[in-house]
Amino acid sequence: MRSSLVTSELLLVRALGFDLEVELPFAYCLNVLRGLGSIRYFVTDETKKQSKRHHFPAQKEIWKRMEHDMDPEMSTIARLAWMYVWDILCSPKIALTHSIPGIGLGCLYLALRTSGVEMSMSMNEYVDLWGASENISVQAVRDVITDLLEFYDQFPVNTETKEIV
C-alpha cells in the first residue's frame, strides 16, 4: 500500500512537471565571490571536469576555510551574503518569484553595501559584469533587495534589547 502511494505521488509530480532537483542561490553566490577574487580556495581544477551536478565541499568545511584563510572584511561579506540567502529561503514570496542568479547577485550586492566596502563600480556595472551571462537585469536585482528589506520590516526589533518583538 505504501509503495503504491509513493509511486502514485511520484507519477503525479512528474505529470505536473514539478522539478524535484532544486537549485539554491548559494553556489551562484559563491561563484561570484570566487570571481571577485575573495575566496581563493574555490578555484576549480580544470583537469577535473565535474558532472552536471556540482559537488561542493560541505558547508562546515567551507566555513572553517573562510575563518582561517580570509581576511576579516571578506569573511564578513561572505557571511552576510550567506545569511541573506538563508533569509530569502524563509520567504516563499522571494524564493519563488525571483531567479536563482538574481537572488545570488542581490544577496551579495546587499552584503557588499551593508559591510561598508568601497565599491569601484555602480550597481549597473556590477549587474552587467556578473549577471550578463544569466540575462539578469538591474531591476531584477533591485527587486530582490527590496523584497528582502520588506521581509525584514515584517519583524520589528526592540532597539534596546536587539530582540525580535
Side-chain angles (χ1 to χ4, degrees), residues 79-146:
R79 287 177 183 275
L80 278 171
W82 210 261
M83 180 192 70
Y84 291 144
V85 170
W86 275 116
D87 290 347
I88 279 180
L89 295 176
C90 292
S91 169
K93 175 190 173 208
I94 303 171
L96 297 175
T97 58
H98 298 287
S99 70
I100 298 301
I103 291 172
L105 276 182
C107 291
L108 187 55
Y109 185 81
L110 189 58
L112 287 165
R113 298 298 293 188
T114 55
S115 65
V117 172
E118 288 187 33
M119 293 183 62
S120 61
M121 60 181 80
S122 68
M123 183 180 205
N124 291 346
E125 293 168 331
Y126 170 82
V127 174
D128 288 343
L129 180 64
W130 300 108
S133 64
E134 300 288 336
N135 287 335
I136 301 170
S137 68
V138 174
Q139 189 59 46
V141 173
R142 280 193 181 121
D143 290 344
V144 168
I145 294 170
T146 303

Side-chain angles (χ1 to χ4, degrees), residues 12-58:
L12 178 65
V13 166
R14 285 185 183 160
L16 292 175
F18 283 80
D19 185 7
L20 299 178
E21 290 187 26
V22 179
E23 181 185 359
L24 296 174
F26 298 107
Y28 191 82
C29 195
L30 289 175
N31 284 333
V32 173
L33 278 170
R34 181 181 60 194
L36 288 169
S38 60
I39 304 179
R40 67 177 181 268
Y41 46 82
F42 281 109
V43 176
T44 56
D45 185 2
E46 290 299 319
T47 60
K48 297 179 183 178
K49 296 292 182 184
Q50 293 181 341
S51 64
K52 185 178 176 186
R53 297 192 69 168
H54 300 287
H55 299 286
F56 294 102

